[in-house]
Structures are given as structure tokens and as C-alpha cells.
Amino acid sequence: MMQRSSGGGVTLDAQVREAARRWIADDIDARTQAELQQLLDADAPQLADRMSGMPQFGTAGLRAAVRAGANGMNRAVVVRTTAGLAAWLTKHGHAGGVVVVGRDARHGSEDFAADAAGVLAAAGFDVRMLPEPLPTPVLAYAARALHAVAGIQITASHNPPHDNGYKLYLQGGIHLVSPTDTEIEAAIAATPAANAVPREESWSICGSALDDYLARVSTLPRGNARRLRIVATALHGVGAQTLLQALHRVGFDDVRLVASQAKPDPDFPTVGFPNPEEPGATDALLELAAEVGADLAIALDPDADRCALGVEEDGAWRMLRGDETGVLLAQQILSTLDSDRDPDPLVATTIVSATMLRSIAAEFGVRYDETLTGFKWLVRAGDGAGTGLVYAYEEALGHCVDPDAVRDKDGISTAVLASDLAATAKASGRSVPELLDALSAKHGVHQTGQVSVRVTDLSAIPRIMQRLREQPPTKLAETTVDVDDLLPGTDALVITGTGGLRVVIRPSGTEPKLKCYLQVVEHVGELPLAAAKQRAADRLDALKQAVSDLVRGD
């Protein structure tokens, strides 16, 4: 794609320049035409990356930087993507079906949603547009409730401010998996130029979607206790008002928002990365919790499909890990199941989550499954269709607490159910950390952590994975281990050893990272719980160092 000039400098390949010229001629947006033309005129090296191909479907759709060119999120890419989707839907017998389109408040989201709706309307589909920027779970709920053939949410979830994305649901409000993703990508590649794709502003507004969703969420609480002081943040995303409405509907009225983060702002000015998992992202939330004497802290990511909880423990506030919230909610849901409604219940988590859910499922005598990462797999747990699924979670703060209504992670409904759990515990004189201690005493102390390697050169990740496959470790943190390679099913290595040691190493599906998920387990037995916790913490620290050395050993 690049070549050396006679003077020794780097110039653009003629094919790249011609591809850029064609893209500019075919674009529908004067702003991105000018942006790409400027790069072309300057013979800018980054033009090769801009023209390296359109974004591909990842864990939950397309995500890319908002920028001109084929390899970005822009109006031309959205138009061609949607035209390919329309062609695929028509080919598979869904012509004229309902498609729901929603959006968050990121840069470009309003235009991208309108373009997607316009392409589908012109193709003859019954397009229902959500009336305003709303959380992704509202779109997922509407797509399922309306028996839509597809649902599109314009969002990049918790990605950095310069990104946007195209989250796609198919029938049943479920994410697509292979080979459907490659079929749709092939249909996209076969579409005409963006300026040749028809668009019509003939969609309808799905005005009842939010109220219908909130009505469903209001049925989730198991208990009646409502004395709870809650603090919450939406991290500059679109979840704040929906969260307030959901909590108020079920009787939680003492709710305070982090004011500086309550309104949608696509620049996310107070956080480096708008992800509750990132260090520092929830500092303002925990400060407010301590200031007002809160009982529970709630953090949503920008599109409100993820939910993180904060609690006070030993006089200090901290955020719970996704695995901790996961087992708390599993215990709550399984202990209140209606056997008539759910005669053969199933719970599920992923291969990178802690293993306590397996033990809890065995205690209640329900089915348990582990899947690959991502809710596109979790909601298909068990028999491939998720039959009987009552709860699923992944450690990255994603929880599906009402699979019949939303077949995806849902931060709003998770927050409502978690508030119900915390209020019920408070009414009985217990704290959330005490509930966790009870689970650890019964099922073992499951200490989990992560080692992540963020890269600027994406080729570094496959090099590391190849090295680990060719030279797998035989010992980690003084423990003999076995290595299981999950290829060709997925690009991941699973390392296991005694004492509940488990390490899963895989490339991130949404970020330029190599991610390593760590676990050790200490069964309490005759030990005091505090001693078991300390032993687990010490073992985890040693494992973190060993894994860090392993993956950075190039």
C-alpha cells in the first residue's frame, strides 16, 4: 500500500490514491469529502489506513473512529452497511419487516441513525425510530417486543470519545454470530456506492418504547424494602434519566446523580475512558457516596448496557468486580424462582468469568453453561438457543437479568434488581459485603483480576499469541499448569492448575488490547474467612506478576 519515492521518502500507492478518489466521489457528506481530500492532497501516510477496508463485525457490531474513508464511522459507511443489511434481510425472507433504529448521543449518532432509517425505509421495511437518544437496552427490548427482523443501535458503548459504532440485533433481539456476520459483510461489499443507495424519510417514531420498557423493568424487584440511599453516574452517557425513572417507578426515591456526569456529552470531559472498569472513572461517584452517606453506588457505561456497583466496606468505598455482582444477582434470582414459570432454569457465564456461578447453580440444582465471551454467545447458552435462560453475566460488568425481555446485557434492569437486593439486605440488618462473605464461606473465596497489554501496533497481539502457543508455560506462580488452546473456535488460551488457578488469554474484541483473566480459589474450611481471603489475595498477586512476565516476555 506504500512505496518509496526516488528521493527516499514514502508515497502513497497509486491504488490507495485511486480508492480515495472514488470514495470521495461517491460520498454523501461534504464534510468527510473535504476531510479525505485534504489527506489525499497532502499525500498523507494515514490515508492507506483510511482506505484499508470497511469495519467488520466484532463482539457486538461495528466500531471505528468517526472519520472519513472506508475504514471509519461516517455517513457513507453507515449507508452502505445498512444497504447490505437490507439486501441480506430481503434474501432471507424478511422483506418489509419491522426494523427498530435507536442511537446514543455520541458524535455523529443522530445523522447515522437517520441514514440507517432512511436506507431501510427506501428498501421497503417498516422502520420504527426511537424518539431520542436512549440506552441500548431500550432498543434491544423494543426489537424483541415488536418481533422486529432487525434492530440497530448507533453507539460505541464505552469506547473513547472519537469512536462510534453500529450495534446490530436480528430476530428475537439477539446479536448475530458466524456465519451470518460474514454473509452480511459480503452483502455490504456488493452494495453500490453510497450516493447511489436510495434513502427516504418515511419512518415512524416508536414513541411508546421507553414507557413499555420501564413498565417491564418495574416487574423485576423481588422484595418490598425501599429504604436505600443511592448515588449514580451515567458517565456522560444517555442512561441517567432512564435510570432515575426506573428506580422511581419501583419506589427508590432517594437517588442522587453525579451532577458533572449526568448529562450526555460526546466528549466525556471528566473521564479518560468512559468505562466503569477503567481506573479513575468512578472516582467522582465514590466521593459522592461517601459525602452523602449512601447505601449503594451505581455506575452505568455511556449506552447503559453495563452496570457497576459500589459499596462501603471496612469504612471505605470500592467498586465491586463484575464477578462479585454476578454471583450476588445469581443468588437473588435463583432463590426467588417460580418453578411453574421456569421449570428447567439455566444460568450462564463466560470462560473468562469466575467459576463460583457453577457452584451456586449446583446448589440450586439448575443447569449451568459456560460460553465464549460476548452476549451473542451467552443468550444462546445451553442448547444454542438459550432455552430456559433465567440469568447470564460476564465479568466485564454485563448482566442479563430478564432474558425473556432483553436478550443482552442491561444496565438499567441490573441497577433496579441490585437496588432491590441492597434494600432487602439493609432491612434485615446485613450489608452487601456481608452477602458476599456468606457466598465465599459456602463456595470458596474466588479472587479474580486482570492483566492487560494495550498496544499501538495491532500486529503485536498475534505475535504474542503465537509465541505462547509455540512455547506454552508449564508452571505459573509455583503451580504446575496445563494449557488448552481454543482454536479454531476462538482465539484464546485457557491455563489451569490446582487451587482453582485459571488464566484465560485472548485478544479484546473491542479494544487494541491483549487481555488476561485470572482466578484463584481458596476454600475456607477450618480457616477464618479473613485468612482465606488473604491467602487468595497473595496467590493472586503472585499470579498477576507471573502472567505479566509471561505475556510481556517478547
Side-chain angles (χ1 to χ4, degrees):
M1 300 290 282
M2 308 291 289
Q3 60 187 13
R4 291 281 172 184
S5 68
S6 58
V10 177
T11 61
L12 291 171
D13 185 283
Q15 289 182 322
V16 174
R17 295 179 63 83
E18 180 56 28
R21 290 190 188 98
R22 289 199 307 271
W23 188 272
I24 291 166
D26 296 339
D27 204 343
I28 61 171
D29 189 334
R31 293 169 297 182
T32 46
Q33 283 178 317
E35 180 184 335
L36 202 60
Q37 185 65 55
Q38 186 175 17
L39 294 175
L40 181 60
D41 292 343
D43 217 26
Q46 61 262 43
L47 193 65
D49 179 51
R50 298 288 189 104
M51 301 310 301
S52 61
M54 288 178 61
Q56 295 182 314
F57 286 100
T59 302
L62 309 175
R63 291 186 195 175
V66 178
R67 62 181 189 175
N71 186 18
M73 274 295 293
N74 53 68
R75 294 182 62 199
V77 165
V78 169
V79 164
R80 291 196 61 200
T81 297
T82 309
L85 171 63
W88 184 90
L89 289 170
T90 298
K91 179 180 179 180
H92 287 79
H94 302 305
V98 173
V99 180
V100 187
V101 179
R103 63 184 173 95
D104 65 10
R106 282 179 175 262
H107 291 297
S109 288
E110 185 173 6
D111 287 340
F112 299 159
D115 284 328
V119 170
L120 289 160
F125 289 88
D126 179 2
V127 181
R128 319 281 181 89
M129 177 82 84
L130 297 189
E132 59 186 318
L134 287 169
T136 293
V138 178
L139 181 283
Y141 170 82
R144 189 168 175 85
L146 294 172
H147 306 288
V149 299
I152 299 165
Q153 176 80 348
I154 303 298
T155 181
S157 191
H158 58 276
N159 275 37
H162 52 70
D163 287 353
N164 210 328
Y166 188 106
K167 187 173 286 191
L168 177 60
Y169 300 86
L170 296 180
Q171 276 192 304
I174 298 175
H175 291 300
L176 68 165
V177 295
S178 183
T180 302
D181 51 0
T182 55
E183 292 173 358
I184 295 176
E185 286 169 355
I188 294 168
T191 59
N195 60 4
V197 175
R199 287 172 288 143
E200 293 180 4
E201 293 188 16
S202 56
W203 57 81
S204 61
I205 299 300
C206 191
S208 66
L210 177 59
D211 197 60
D212 292 345
Y213 168 79
L214 290 170
R216 175 71 186 202
V217 171
S218 69
T219 67
L220 295 179
R222 270 62 172 170
N224 298 314
R226 293 295 180 265
R227 287 191 58 199
L228 199 73
R229 175 163 293 175
I230 301 168
V231 295
T233 181
L235 293 181
H236 302 291
V238 296
Q241 291 306 309
T242 302
L243 175 63
L244 283 178
Q245 291 177 69
L247 290 171
H248 289 165
R249 279 202 179 204
V250 299
F252 292 108
D253 296 321
D254 190 355
V255 185
R256 308 177 191 203
L257 297 176
V258 177
S260 62
Q261 300 173 340
K263 293 182 180 179
D265 187 331
D267 294 319
F268 304 102
T270 70
V271 287
F273 286 91
N275 180 353
E277 288 184 293
E278 292 287 340
T282 58
D283 286 356
L285 173 71
L286 298 183
E287 289 170 8
L288 179 61
E291 178 185 326
V292 303
D295 299 302
L296 183 68
I298 297 170
L300 303 176
D301 72 340
D303 71 328
D305 63 351
R306 283 175 168 83
C307 176
L309 303 180
V311 298
E312 187 177 17
E313 185 175 27
D314 298 328
W317 278 85
R318 73 172 180 93
M319 300 303 295
L320 298 184
R321 299 186 302 275
D323 283 312
E324 292 177 305
T325 301
V327 295
L328 285 168
L329 294 175
Q331 178 77 18
Q332 180 189 23
I333 289 169
L334 292 179
S335 64
T336 55
L337 275 182
D338 182 341
S339 58
D340 292 331
R341 178 184 169 188
D342 300 296
D344 188 20
L346 166 70
V347 295
T349 190
T350 72
I351 59 171
V352 303
S353 301
T355 57
M356 187 187 288
L357 183 61
R358 180 192 296 132
S359 179
I360 293 173
E363 177 191 2
F364 283 95
V366 305
R367 291 181 295 136
Y368 168 83
D369 195 15
E370 283 182 15
T371 73
L372 300 179
T373 54
F375 272 83
K376 64 183 180 182
W377 301 115
L378 278 172
V379 299
R380 292 176 167 88
D383 58 1
T387 304
L389 187 67
V390 297
Y391 177 60
Y393 91 90
E394 59 182 359
E395 54 74 43
L397 308 179
H399 305 273
C400 178
V401 302
D402 187 15
D404 287 345
V406 176
R407 286 259 153 173
D408 196 8
K409 53 189 174 292
D410 180 348
I412 303 295
S413 62
T414 298
V416 169
L417 202 57
S419 299
D420 175 51
L421 178 151
T424 301
K426 181 181 178 181
S428 64
R430 305 179 76 188
S431 68
V432 171
E434 286 172 340
L435 298 182
L436 283 169
D437 283 348
L439 290 173
S440 293
K442 183 181 293 186
H443 302 287
V445 177
H446 289 62
Q447 282 279 2
T448 60
Q450 281 194 28
V451 171
S452 293
V453 180
R454 184 178 288 273
V455 301
T456 53
D457 176 9
L458 289 177
S459 68
I461 292 177
R463 285 200 305 270
I464 296 171
M465 294 298 291
Q466 182 179 358
R467 172 175 60 79
L468 294 177
R469 288 188 165 99
E470 293 174 349
Q471 304 170 36
T474 58
K475 184 173 284 190
L476 282 177
E478 306 302 320
T479 301
T480 300
V481 296
D482 296 313
V483 181
D484 185 15
D485 189 348
L486 300 190
L487 281 177
T490 189
D491 186 8
L493 297 169
V494 179
I495 303 171
T496 54
T498 57
L501 183 150
R502 186 163 84 160
V503 179
V504 181
I505 304 175
R506 60 178 282 270
S508 170
T510 58
E511 299 176 271
K513 282 182 178 180
L514 183 72
K515 302 184 79 171
C516 309
Y517 305 83
L518 286 54
Q519 174 188 270
V520 297
V521 180
E522 281 288 339
H523 290 285
V524 177
E526 300 300 320
L527 282 175
L529 180 59
K533 284 183 175 182
Q534 187 59 55
R535 283 181 56 175
D538 292 343
R539 288 181 57 210
L540 184 65
D541 286 343
L543 183 60
K544 282 182 178 179
Q545 186 60 57
V547 171
S548 182
D549 293 343
L550 177 70
V551 296
R552 293 183 169 92
D554 285 347

